Amino acid sequence: MRWPGVLEYFADYLPVTSHTPLITLNEGNTPLVESYQLVEKLGAGKLYFKFEGMNPTGSFKDRGMVVAVAKAKEEGRAVVMCASTGNTSASAAAYAQRAGLSCIVLIPQGKIALGKLSQALMHGARVLAVQGNFDDALSIVRYITSHYPVALVNSLNPYRIEGQKTAAFEVVEWLGESPDYLALPVGNAGNITAYWKGFKELKEKGKITSLPRMLGFQAEGAAPLVSGKPVSNPQTVATAIRIGNPASWKGAIAARDESGGLIEAVSDEEILQAQRMLAEEEGIFVEPASAASFAGVLKKSEEGFFTGRETIVCVLTGHGLKDPDIAIKQGEGRIEEVGASAEEVVEILGLEREHV
Ligand SMILES: *Cc1c(COP(=O)(O)O)cnc(C)c1O
């Protein structure tokens, strides 16, 4: 099947004009994987995983980035710039190359997962490691892009939100209706804003009759939307949501309140446990931030929040290979050394011969 990518497939829903270059890496059209095992633990009716790690650069950021970069090119920009905890920079770097633009990324020094950094470097971006956190990097980028001829491609750019809302369209196209709950990790809060916008647009157009309740989950050490005030020194193992002052604060609160949903916090331990459960029990490898959605749903289920008849979609925002360090730490001590002989391997495995 030919999949033309987000700009072409969803053109009617996006700010696409006859002048918009239809660049693509054939992003979007990611799988909605049905849970076999974890659904039992939850006691939910149906549980699905929207696996956004299957996008070309390994995260949902590609959906919005393709729109932002195409519009920057349409508007005659030659350079795009972003602050990033990692995935935005990987995506910006790839799509900038695709469009023939150059790309500058500002990352918080030492706080970016190795896979993501390798992508920005391979795609030829100019990478500046800022001696500060994500929020510091973003305020520098906001200043520069408003005073110099450089296009901002962070999710403050409304084209990013437009592109990201297409994930909601795909969920509905797959299920034939809206799920009862949509759970996702929340960092800078662009994605929860985008999904909510997508669902609302479908309802306005009469494509769905009900809207999902939005369940946003932040990491305990970086949960400004839960406490109601910015966090000056956010801390979490889930670097993609290590954000103390979300740019789309208002969008997230509106999504929560209009949908009758919630935004709560999960601990790093709960996030890492959920990451292992997804990998071991469903065969889906995601980065730590992505596991916050399932960690949150699991926690709510233990609190008796669900009735057992609902359809729940957990958005899994990024691929596990993005952050190999954390994954290897999770498996520490699991590698067994053995001599290079069949006998030794048989012995260590404790295998018994079959008697025929
Ligand atoms: C960017 C990102 C998030 C957070 O999304 P926001 O739109 O900033 O809330 C979560 N998970 C991954 C893997 C990301 O790359």
Side-chain angles (χ1 to χ4, degrees):
M1 176 196 134
R2 176 180 177 268
W3 171 256
V6 159
L7 283 171
E8 189 181 324
Y9 190 81
F10 295 111
D12 293 346
Y13 293 84
L14 295 173
V16 172
T17 70
S18 56
H19 302 290
T20 310
L22 295 178
I23 55 167
T24 189
L25 286 164
N26 306 89
E27 61 292 319
N29 196 23
T30 58
L32 191 69
V33 181
E34 185 168 356
S35 167
Y36 294 161
Q37 309 231 43
L38 295 177
V39 66
E40 306 283 332
K41 282 208 170 66
L42 283 190
K46 293 246 178 210
L47 174 65
Y48 295 90
F49 303 108
K50 180 67 172 159
F51 192 18
E52 289 287 280
M54 295 301 284
N55 276 297
T57 76
S59 84
F60 74 84
K61 298 297 198 298
D62 293 344
R63 292 180 185 276
M65 196 57 73
V66 71
V67 183
V69 169
K71 294 305 279 187
K73 189 174 171 74
E74 180 180 345
E75 287 156 14
R77 298 296 194 190
V79 186
V80 300
M81 185 177 195
C82 62
S84 177
T85 61
N87 283 329
T88 298
S89 64
S91 190
Y95 282 91
Q97 287 297 0
R98 196 75 177 153
L101 308 180
S102 49
C103 176
I104 306 166
V105 304
L106 261 59
I107 56 172
Q109 193 174 46
K111 295 293 178 196
I112 164 168
L114 222 52
K116 305 174 187 182
L117 185 57
S118 72
Q119 290 176 289
L121 293 170
M122 282 304 288
H123 292 303
R126 186 90 188 258
V127 178
L128 306 182
V130 175
Q131 291 156 1
N133 61 27
F134 171 83
D135 304 289
D136 301 325
L138 182 58
S139 57
I140 296 168
V141 169
R142 289 177 82 156
Y143 175 81
I144 290 177
T145 53
S146 56
H147 291 86
Y148 297 86
V150 174
L152 169 90
V153 293
N154 277 103
S155 58
L156 287 161
N157 178 330
Y159 298 132
R160 285 274 310 277
I161 305 293
E162 288 300 303
Q164 284 171 209
K165 78 185 177 192
T166 61
F169 300 165
E170 290 177 15
V171 168
V172 166
E173 208 166 295
W174 196 298
L175 294 176
E177 59 192 78
S178 152
D180 298 307
Y181 291 97
L182 187 110
L184 75 176
V186 178
N188 220 15
N191 213 26
I192 190 170
T193 304
Y195 269 91
W196 184 237
K197 184 167 198 286
F199 286 119
K200 280 198 302 187
E201 283 184 21
L202 292 180
K203 179 124 188 284
E204 276 157 26
K205 290 198 158 83
K207 309 253 180 194
I208 48 176
T209 52
S210 64
L211 290 165
R213 292 166 74 179
M214 304 292 286
L215 308 178
F217 296 100
Q218 300 206 282
E220 252 171 32
L225 297 169
V226 180
S227 66
K229 52 181 191 296
V231 174
S232 56
N233 186 19
Q235 296 295 344
T236 170
V237 67
T239 50
I241 51 172
R242 190 173 182 271
I243 290 169
N245 191 10
S248 299
W249 189 299
K250 286 194 189 125
I253 298 302
R256 180 193 71 188
D257 295 347
E258 291 171 23
S259 75
L262 52 86
I263 299 178
E264 292 186 3
V266 285
S267 68
D268 278 8
E269 215 166 286
E270 290 165 329
I271 288 173
L272 293 175
Q273 186 202 355
Q275 186 193 23
R276 286 194 303 274
M277 289 169 84
L278 285 163
E280 288 173 7
E281 299 185 44
E282 301 282 9
I284 304 174
F285 184 23
V286 301
E287 67 169 282
S290 309
S293 60
F294 179 68
V297 163
L298 188 59
K299 189 168 179 170
K300 296 311 291 178
S301 132
E302 284 161 0
E303 292 170 13
F305 182 78
F306 302 113
T307 66
R309 287 183 302 276
E310 301 95 337
T311 298
I312 305 172
V313 171
C314 278
V315 181
L316 303 178
T317 46
H319 202 285
L321 291 173
K322 291 279 193 174
D323 198 341
D325 291 331
I326 298 278
I328 288 167
K329 253 190 225 140
Q330 292 242 53
E332 214 150 52
R334 294 264 313 281
I335 302 177
E336 303 163 74
E337 296 201 2
V338 63
S341 81
E343 288 80 14
E344 283 187 55
V345 173
V346 166
E347 196 193 321
I348 204 169
L349 295 176
L351 295 177
E352 306 261 343
R353 249 180 217 282
E354 251 184 313
H355 298 285
V356 197

